[in-house]
Amino acid sequence: MSKIMRIEKPSVLPWYGAGAVWLIMGIALPLYSLPMLLVTAGVSAVVFFAAKKVCPPQVIEREVGFHTGVDDVDEMLASMTGELDKLRALNDALPDPQLSAAMDRMEHAGRSIVEVVEQSPAKAKIARRFANYYLPDAVRVLSQYAALARQGVRGENAAAVKAQVEQNAAQIATAFENQLDALYAAESMDLSADLEVLQSLMKGQGL
């Protein structure tokens, strides 16, 4: 999910003020003298810290698609979101209700995968093949189908392609859902083990 990242950019005015002190003092005083150097350094420091209090840092707000702390995972999630947005646009443009239902399942599973990986970036390796191949390939095939439908292309080859896509859409959706299940497999095993331990404890206590 997109987030607003706030970055503080320190003001440069304190540095300009400190530099101005050295410039002015250099004109007015003999800085080759150690006492004058110390005085100038002291005044410069006072001006610098005073200016920092008067000139707070500038806060810059920047919207970021994902911020998991792992750059390649953020890029993968952003790419997946872009493909899922394309899938949604294709779904809106296609009137076939059966195909639309399958595409709804694909999108739901895909966005759930994005949410799971965003919360647990370590699971990105499980979803990498899905992100790099399965999802973009499915979108590419459906885009070709939409182009044929939009252009009203007829003929044996076009009809065969359309029929194949329509027949396999539900299977593709199931494959997406299986990928989502794979992300939860480890957690399910851990939960089952915890339940077995709990049941053993309860039996030991006569409960």
Side-chain angles (χ1 to χ4, degrees):
M1 303 296 288
S2 62
K3 298 180 176 66
I4 299 297
M5 180 182 292
R6 292 176 172 82
I7 303 173
E8 289 191 356
K9 184 178 180 181
S11 174
V12 297
L13 292 179
W15 295 102
Y16 287 158
V21 169
W22 282 96
L23 179 61
I24 295 171
M25 298 289 274
I27 296 173
L29 300 172
L31 293 185
Y32 54 81
S33 171
L34 179 58
M36 291 299 99
L37 280 174
L38 294 176
V39 169
T40 302
V43 173
S44 176
V46 170
V47 170
F48 177 82
F49 288 108
K52 284 196 70 173
K53 292 183 179 180
V54 176
C55 306
Q58 179 184 6
V59 178
I60 301 174
E61 293 187 349
R62 181 165 60 92
E63 185 175 2
V64 293
F66 296 93
H67 190 59
T68 63
V70 184
D71 290 343
D72 63 335
V73 174
D74 292 343
E75 292 175 3
M76 185 187 82
L77 294 177
S79 176
M80 289 176 64
T81 300
E83 294 294 335
L84 291 167
D85 290 343
K86 293 178 186 177
L87 184 64
R88 167 47 50 191
L90 289 170
N91 195 354
D92 292 339
L94 292 173
D96 185 278
Q98 185 173 355
L99 181 58
S100 179
M103 293 172 71
D104 282 338
R105 289 172 55 197
M106 294 178 206
E107 183 184 1
H108 177 73
R111 295 197 187 278
S112 296
I113 291 171
V114 169
E115 291 178 3
V116 171
V117 174
E118 183 182 17
Q119 294 172 3
S120 303
K123 294 183 177 182
K125 59 184 179 181
I126 303 175
R128 186 76 64 180
R129 183 176 293 275
F130 171 82
N132 293 341
Y133 299 103
Y134 300 156
L135 176 57
D137 283 353
V139 172
R140 178 177 53 80
V141 169
L142 290 166
S143 297
Q144 293 174 347
Y145 174 92
L148 292 173
R150 184 171 56 252
Q151 296 167 5
V153 177
R154 297 184 179 183
E156 291 185 4
N157 291 334
V161 170
K162 291 177 64 178
Q164 188 175 10
V165 172
E166 292 168 358
Q167 292 171 3
N168 293 325
Q171 294 181 6
I172 296 173
T174 299
F176 279 33
E177 291 164 349
N178 289 340
Q179 177 64 65
L180 177 61
D181 288 341
L183 294 179
Y184 287 110
E187 293 180 3
S188 297
M189 293 176 62
D190 290 341
L191 179 59
S192 297
D194 290 342
L195 287 173
E196 290 179 2
V197 172
L198 180 60
Q199 289 173 350
S200 299
L201 290 173
M202 292 175 67
K203 288 181 181 179
Q205 296 295 326
L207 299 175

